[in-house]
Amino acid sequence: MTSPATTGTTPAPMGPEPAARTATTLRTRTKAAPAPGRWLSKTAVNGALLLSVAYTLFPLVWLVTAATKDTGGLLTGDAFSFKGFDLGHNLSELASYNDGVYLRWYLNSLLYAGGGALVCALVSVAAGYAFDKYRFRGKEKLFGVVLLGVLVPSTALALPMYLLASKTGLVHTYWSVLIPVLVNPFGVYLSRVFSASYIPDEALEAARIDGAGELRAFWSIGLRMVMPGFVTVFLFQFTAIWNNFFLPLVMLSDQKLFPLSLGLYAWNSNTHAEPSFYPLVVAGSLLAVLPLVVAFVALQRHWKAGLTAGSVK
């Protein structure tokens, strides 16, 4: 029998090094040459995202550039350039036209949207909290009626609400627009979901043991815990009221009570007879976008807090 010493050959050492080199080589080849299907999928996703961003920003870019044009610049179709920059004059005309009626419309919209959304968010959160935390007879049936209200379009309720407002003498007043927007069935449903997710029953029980009443427990504990839901309902309702057009059209006839949506519509209806209204409508539309942008940017941290709530125990 021949031994390794006599033949002069040494057996190759066995260990983890060859396997490690093989794995490193495979990873290097994988990184260097990605699969064609994966590359195509990434390209398709990025292309779709770029198209979506372009589709979303295109009207805003047009609005920003068109607001710097005078009537001639808008009618010639060269709205995507800043040639003939006249934004200052347009804003000055916008503020002074008809004794500053545009500023009155702006304040009306802030009142309708800001005040209405704030009260609506509070009512919705309180109702969702009650549906979630309390037991009473017919609760689920009543909540089913609330869900049915989500399915009814707001335009279908405009005429009945006008008849009710006419009977009570509220037509052509601020209340005819404010009262109908104080209740939002979808906000109640969303608030119940947030209440079930963010308000533990143990915290409410501890507050009751310490002597807190039901209103105190809701205001000091429940509302604070469900603040992301409150902000979400507020933003949804603020956007809906700010863009609301049909309800003010039905309820109001005095221009001093108009919101921005109805006032700009009235000006736009006069552009065929008086083209000088075009710069006013475009500049007014640009300023009308600003409160929505400010609201979403200022309150986005509450959304982030809601997304991360419960992730760390």
Side-chain angles (χ1 to χ4, degrees), residues 267-286:
W267 279 358
N268 189 59
S269 301
N270 297 328
T271 53
H272 297 288
E274 297 183 34
S276 60
F277 276 101
Y278 277 116
L280 298 180
V281 173
V282 175
S285 300
L286 177 62

Side-chain angles (χ1 to χ4, degrees), residues 114-126 180-185 187-188 191 230 233-234 237 241:
L118 186 63
V119 176
C120 176
L122 184 59
V123 171
S124 298
V125 169
V181 301
L182 298 182
V183 178
N184 183 5
V188 175
S191 298
F230 179 88
V233 175
F234 174 83
Q237 191 69 357
I241 301 173

Side-chain angles (χ1 to χ4, degrees), residues 276-307:
S276 60
F277 276 101
Y278 277 116
L280 298 180
V281 173
V282 175
S285 300
L286 177 62
L287 294 183
V289 177
L290 297 181
L292 298 177
V293 176
V294 171
F296 275 88
V297 172
L299 299 176
Q300 65 176 344
R301 64 187 183 91
H302 294 282
W303 278 12
K304 292 180 180 179
L307 291 175

Side-chain angles (χ1 to χ4, degrees), residues 13-24:
M14 299 300 293
E17 293 185 1
R21 286 196 298 269
T22 303
T24 303

